[in-house]
């Protein structure tokens, strides 16, 4: 993989050329910033920017004023290759707080190892209705220890409005949900995104996450996507790299508001 070329494609397709991530959201392009605006349950934030040392502080203040005026908390999603190089420090100085850094990993679907299957006693079920979404959210809350209200809203809204753009899968041991993940497919792009892969603690280390990645990759291949993208945690990155993903950058959420 030519890392520089693929990273440039990613920036162009998924950031500078971003599309709304659900009904009710909109993409706005203003000057050197691409941002998404959604309702209070959706994701609000800066997707892409092209700043320099002379313009960065002014643009940061403009985004704070804009989202604050809407009554929205928001996120500035900062990538390790964004400019200026001290943009993260500037965001912190302006009142943002940083969540943990993750690694942007991308894999070419045709070159990934897709033979992983769920371990014995585990079956995968696609969530297509509110009951299935509840299973996905149940895993999310147990695996990550965080509230799943926004995830439930996001999945239900997207499944109702545009079901062909999201695949949510839950792993069941009998009737017990033990792992779950989703894939978001953006029509007209070369990239599908893998999100939310989590396994409840008692079921980790058995290959379920790896099998969920392979399952979603096969779906992406069937839909004609060339690349898969993941914001990988330190726990998931080694698994993804063994499957054929490459680390191309880092990504850090900078959060503003309550």
């Amino acid at each position: 993989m030519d890392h520089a070329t693929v990273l440039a494609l990613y920036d162009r397709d998924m950031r500078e050329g971003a599309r709304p991530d659900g009904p009710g959201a909109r993409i706005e392009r203003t000057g050197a910033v691409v941002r998404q605006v959604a309702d209070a349950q959706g994701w609000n934030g800066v997707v892409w920017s092209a700043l320099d040392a002379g313009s960065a502080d002014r643009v940061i203040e403009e985004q704070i004023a804009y989202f604050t005026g809407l009554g929205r908390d928001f996120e500035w999603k900062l990538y390790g290759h964004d400019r200026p190089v001290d943009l993260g420090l500037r965001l912190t100085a302006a009142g943002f707080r940083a969540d943990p850094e993750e690694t942007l990993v991308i894999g070419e679907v045709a070159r990934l190892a897709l033979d992983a299957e769920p371990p014995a006693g585990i079956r995968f079920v696609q969530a297509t209705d509110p009951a299935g979404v509840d299973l996905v959210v149940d895993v999310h809350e147990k695996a990550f220890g965080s509230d799943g209200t926004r995830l439930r809203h996001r999945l239900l809204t997207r499944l109702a409005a545009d079901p062909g753009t999201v695949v949510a899968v839950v792993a069941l041991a009998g009737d017990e949900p033990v792992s779950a993940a989703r894939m978001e497919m953006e029509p007209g792009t070369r990239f599908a995104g893998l999100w939310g892969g989590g396994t409840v603690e008692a079921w980790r280390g058995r290959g379920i996450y790896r099998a969920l990645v392979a399952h979603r990759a096969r779906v992406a291949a069937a839909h004609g996507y060339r690349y898969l993208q993941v914001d990988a945690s330190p726990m998931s990155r080694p698994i993804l790299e063994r499957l054929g993903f490459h680390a191309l950058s880092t990504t850090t959420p900078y959060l503003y508001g309550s």
Side-chain angles (χ1 to χ4, degrees):
M1 178 185 290
D2 183 330
H3 288 194
T5 298
V6 174
L7 186 58
L9 288 174
Y10 175 80
D11 281 345
R12 189 170 70 208
D13 276 12
M14 307 304 292
R15 301 183 64 207
E16 189 175 5
R19 295 158 175 78
D21 69 1
R26 67 182 186 271
I27 295 295
E28 296 181 346
R29 293 172 173 84
T30 173
V33 164
V34 176
R35 63 195 179 204
Q36 176 169 293
V37 181
D39 61 23
Q41 290 292 332
W43 186 87
N44 290 270
V46 174
V47 181
W48 176 87
S49 65
L51 309 180
D52 56 35
S55 65
D57 292 338
R58 173 182 55 79
V59 174
I60 290 169
E61 291 301 326
E62 288 173 351
Q63 302 314 305
I64 291 172
Y66 179 78
F67 281 104
T68 301
L70 295 176
R72 298 282 188 269
D73 296 343
F74 75 106
E75 174 185 327
W76 192 302
K77 190 165 186 179
L78 178 69
Y79 288 78
H81 58 287
D82 286 346
R83 295 292 180 267
V85 294
D86 64 347
L87 184 52
L89 294 175
R90 292 171 184 261
L91 290 168
T92 301
F96 289 78
R97 64 189 186 279
D99 266 1
E101 179 184 275
E102 295 183 313
T103 303
L104 172 66
V105 298
I106 293 178
E108 190 167 4
V109 174
R111 299 188 178 188
L112 296 176
L114 302 182
D115 56 346
E117 296 293 341
I122 298 294
R123 59 191 175 95
F124 290 166
V125 176
Q126 188 166 331
T128 58
D129 57 21
V133 169
D134 283 345
L135 294 177
V136 173
V137 172
D138 179 69
V139 170
H140 175 88
E141 293 182 334
K142 290 176 179 175
F144 298 110
S146 58
D147 181 74
T149 301
R150 286 194 171 190
L151 174 61
R152 178 181 285 106
H153 173 80
R154 180 186 184 94
L155 284 175
L156 289 174
T157 301
R158 195 152 179 173
L159 284 169
D162 205 354
T165 65
V166 62
V167 175
V169 184
V170 61
L172 298 175
D175 293 325
E176 178 188 0
V178 298
S179 187
R182 72 183 190 275
M183 177 170 65
E184 297 182 0
M185 298 178 288
E186 300 298 335
T189 76
R190 288 157 279 207
F191 295 84
L194 303 187
W195 301 96
T199 303
V200 299
E201 187 172 2
W203 289 86
R204 292 172 186 164
R206 308 189 192 195
I208 301 175
Y209 175 81
R210 177 187 174 97
L212 277 171
V213 172
H215 175 85
R216 288 174 290 165
R218 290 192 290 267
V219 175
H223 283 80
Y225 286 88
R226 184 172 180 181
Y227 299 104
L228 286 176
Q229 168 262 321
V230 188
D231 292 349
S233 69
M235 184 181 298
S236 60
R237 177 180 172 179
I239 301 170
L240 293 163
E241 289 182 329
R242 287 194 294 271
L243 288 170
F245 287 78
H246 297 254
L248 300 191
S249 189
T250 60
T251 178
T252 305
Y254 279 80
L255 308 176
Y256 193 92
S258 59

